[in-house]
Amino acid sequence: VSFRVLPCPMKPKPKSSVSYHILSLGCAKNTVDAQGMVTLLARAGYRPTDNPRRADLLIINTCCFIEPAREESLSALRELAAAKRPGQFLLVAGCWPQRDPQAILEAVPEVDGLLGTRHWTDIVAVVRELLRPDRQGPVVHVFPAPPADDAPDVPRVAVQGASAYIKIADGCSRPCAFCAIPLIKGPAVSRPLERVLEDAALLAAQGVKEIILIAQDTTTYGRDLGLEDGLATLLERLEERVPQVPWIRVMYAFPGAVTPRLIEIMARHPQVLPYLDIPLQHAHPEVLRRMRRPADVDWVRRTVATMRERMPEIAIRTTFIVGYPGETEEEFVALLDFVEEMAFDRVGVFTYSHEADTPAAALPDDVPPEVKEERRARLMQLQQEISLAKNRALVGRILDVLIEGRGDGISVGRTYRDAPEIDGLVLIEEELPVGELVPVRITEALEYDLYGVRSRG
């Protein structure tokens, strides 16, 4: 991911002699925070560099949502620490310092500072403390509560090519038993509507073709601000504010919170893509109750049927967890049957990760690792068959493709059915303008990806 210095109302300070290199891991929400750090550092006059060897300051924005994410963060951190030269400083930011700062200091003694995710907006103050010649020991800037004034003039966006993410809220107030996000991020806090619209206008002025709305739970947006059906209201206002942006995509909807008004607005406004990511996590009511998730599976059936009736072209993505404590073979088979029945367009599958201090941590992690992996493979095999059939149904159709790269006589892009980095791609037999929406006739289908040629008709 490359980060850019975004236009901002405050005049940047003169360039500093101190340079920094930043690496962000994990989800798009982390990427947005990292971009915010870059904006604040730019205002303070610090210089970015893509070369970690030349940087005075190494910053790694970490993820620790589940064990594999912690392992990735630790591996990347150790790699930076091993290459750290005399005079360089290593700052660990993000979710992992917020979750377990002592574990980082014990695992990687070369770390000079820790910055928790709830106070990433204090990045400049922390860097100045790191650079003090009389500093004694690591700088630890980790607090349980977010600051009162969370840098309201910093855009909460991350631009990747012609697409951009806008974080509309942070934190989560859902009671899911397996999830550590509320422990890391705290309760859900929505950004004021006007600030989100200002971010969208900033992106539109830069020529962005796709805006992706993200939060831990986008369907909670605005509830703490007194907005009723806040996400639907936001979508309506976005269409008014940035009519020149052709694609607006919604991620991370919560089961039971997809309202009739939200569906109606998605169906009525072509700018809002007929695509919805709604993580369901399981389909057996008893497993869902143990997860402390909505257990009304019939609601899912009714809502998906309504969405498909109002938006016949809709692509629905979901995720499931297999191997949750107590999951029996019968419960898992019920999940398989449900996935076959619903024929979702996109499915991600995770094996259960036992997370300390979560309610599920009190349950025995009683599904053996090999059974978890076997169940994941069975579910993914089923979904590959569904995905292949759906992709084959697209052969011969003409779809708009957002071009993201080109070379060696081919281009790579995405249709409205595909979110960046998690869904499929389209390969086109021609080098096309990057960042443009191009009509493409689909000629071949694989389980996840498509092939096509530019349509000139």
Side-chain angles (χ1 to χ4, degrees):
V1 176
S2 61
F3 299 97
R4 65 177 71 178
V5 177
L6 297 171
C8 58
M10 295 178 61
K11 185 177 179 181
K13 294 184 179 180
K15 289 290 184 183
S16 164
S17 61
V18 176
S19 62
Y20 68 92
H21 174 79
I22 187 166
L23 170 66
S24 189
L25 304 174
C27 67
K29 297 179 284 292
N30 253 23
T31 307
V32 170
D33 291 351
Q35 176 64 72
M37 294 182 207
V38 168
T39 299
L40 289 168
L41 290 168
R43 290 180 184 177
Y46 295 102
R47 299 181 294 108
T49 175
D50 291 332
N51 188 339
R53 294 177 178 272
R54 295 181 180 176
D56 301 301
L57 174 65
L58 302 171
I59 304 171
I60 178 169
N61 193 35
T62 58
C63 177
C64 70
F65 174 50
I66 54 177
E67 183 61 31
R70 281 193 296 277
E71 292 173 356
E72 180 188 20
S73 292
L74 179 58
S75 176
L77 178 56
R78 282 177 168 161
E79 185 176 343
L80 285 176
K84 180 184 171 189
R85 56 174 170 76
Q88 275 189 320
F89 300 93
L90 179 55
L91 174 63
V92 185
C95 294
W96 196 14
Q98 190 71 48
R99 183 90 159 95
D100 197 349
Q102 190 59 38
I104 297 172
L105 296 175
E106 292 175 359
V108 188
E110 297 87 349
V111 167
D112 298 292
L114 300 173
L115 174 60
T117 190
R118 300 192 192 186
H119 278 254
W120 65 262
T121 52
D122 293 340
I123 179 71
V124 172
V126 171
V127 168
R128 287 173 179 159
E129 184 68 20
L130 275 179
L131 298 177
R132 284 181 51 181
D134 60 343
R135 173 175 60 86
Q136 299 292 321
V139 175
V140 179
H141 197 81
V142 180
F143 303 98
D149 182 12
D150 193 21
D153 58 338
V154 177
R156 297 300 198 272
V157 306
V159 182
Q160 296 184 6
S163 300
Y165 297 94
I166 299 181
K167 185 191 283 192
I168 64 174
D170 212 355
C172 186
S173 301
R174 300 293 184 182
C176 307
F178 54 84
C179 186
I181 291 297
L183 300 173
I184 299 168
K185 293 281 192 175
V189 178
S190 302
R191 297 182 59 221
L193 180 63
E194 190 57 36
R195 289 184 191 154
V196 177
L197 297 175
E198 288 170 358
D199 286 357
L202 171 68
L203 296 171
Q206 296 182 45
V208 162
K209 296 292 195 300
E210 176 184 31
I211 287 176
I212 307 166
L213 303 181
I214 57 172
Q216 267 72 36
D217 170 10
T218 54
T219 42
T220 300
Y221 175 74
R223 190 173 299 170
D224 54 319
L225 303 177
L227 295 176
E228 185 177 351
D229 225 343
L231 179 58
T233 299
L234 173 59
L235 290 172
E236 281 191 315
R237 294 290 305 278
L238 280 171
E239 187 186 48
E240 298 169 0
R241 182 67 69 93
V242 290
Q244 68 272 49
V245 177
W247 285 4
I248 298 175
R249 187 184 302 273
V250 176
M251 303 292 290
Y252 314 125
F254 194 80
V258 178
T259 65
R261 181 171 172 238
L262 176 60
I263 294 172
E264 186 59 31
I265 286 172
M266 291 180 65
R268 189 161 21 103
H269 298 297
Q271 196 178 6
V272 181
L273 296 179
Y275 175 104
L276 192 62
D277 174 52
I278 179 168
L280 296 173
Q281 310 303 6
H282 213 278
H284 194 286
E286 291 305 316
V287 178
L288 288 166
R289 290 188 186 98
R290 295 199 298 273
M291 289 180 166
R292 301 187 185 178
R293 296 277 294 180
D296 186 356
V297 180
D298 284 337
W299 175 92
V300 179
R301 292 185 173 96
R302 292 192 305 270
T303 302
V304 169
T306 300
M307 287 192 291
R308 286 172 170 166
E309 178 184 357
R310 294 293 292 116
M311 296 173 280
E313 299 294 312
I314 192 168
I316 300 175
R317 155 171 275 278
T318 190
T319 54
F320 296 108
I321 296 172
V322 296
Y324 190 76
E327 183 190 54
T328 64
E329 177 66 14
E330 179 184 6
E331 290 169 338
F332 173 70
V333 169
L335 173 58
L336 287 177
D337 292 342
F338 178 77
V339 170
E340 185 172 22
E341 171 196 349
M342 299 304 296
F344 296 106
D345 298 84
R346 306 282 186 258
V347 170
V349 183
F350 297 90
T351 56
Y352 170 70
S353 175
H354 216 53
E355 295 300 312
D357 301 323
T358 62
L363 303 174
D365 191 4
D366 55 1
V367 180
E370 61 273 16
V371 175
K372 292 179 183 179
E373 290 297 336
E374 185 264 345
R375 288 177 180 173
R376 179 184 182 278
R378 285 163 64 188
L379 182 50
M380 287 305 301
Q381 177 61 41
L382 171 60
Q383 180 58 33
Q384 284 175 356
E385 296 169 4
I386 295 169
S387 179
L388 179 58
K390 286 182 171 283
N391 279 354
R392 283 176 173 167
L394 299 173
V395 172
R397 291 188 53 186
I398 297 174
L399 299 174
D400 285 341
V401 174
L402 182 59
I403 305 301
E404 298 185 308
R406 65 180 184 180
D408 297 327
I410 65 170
S411 298
V412 178
R414 293 179 291 110
T415 73
Y416 78 91
R417 297 170 53 82
D418 304 295
E421 299 182 342
I422 58 173
D423 292 327
L425 297 169
V426 183
L427 285 77
I428 305 115
E429 300 172 356
E430 183 181 348
E431 293 198 22
L432 299 168
V434 173
E436 294 298 320
L437 281 166
V438 177
V440 172
R441 181 169 58 83
I442 305 303
T443 59
E444 186 179 350
L446 302 176
E447 285 88 347
Y448 302 114
D449 301 325
L450 301 169
Y451 289 85
V453 296
R454 183 176 189 174
S455 174
R456 303 182 187 276

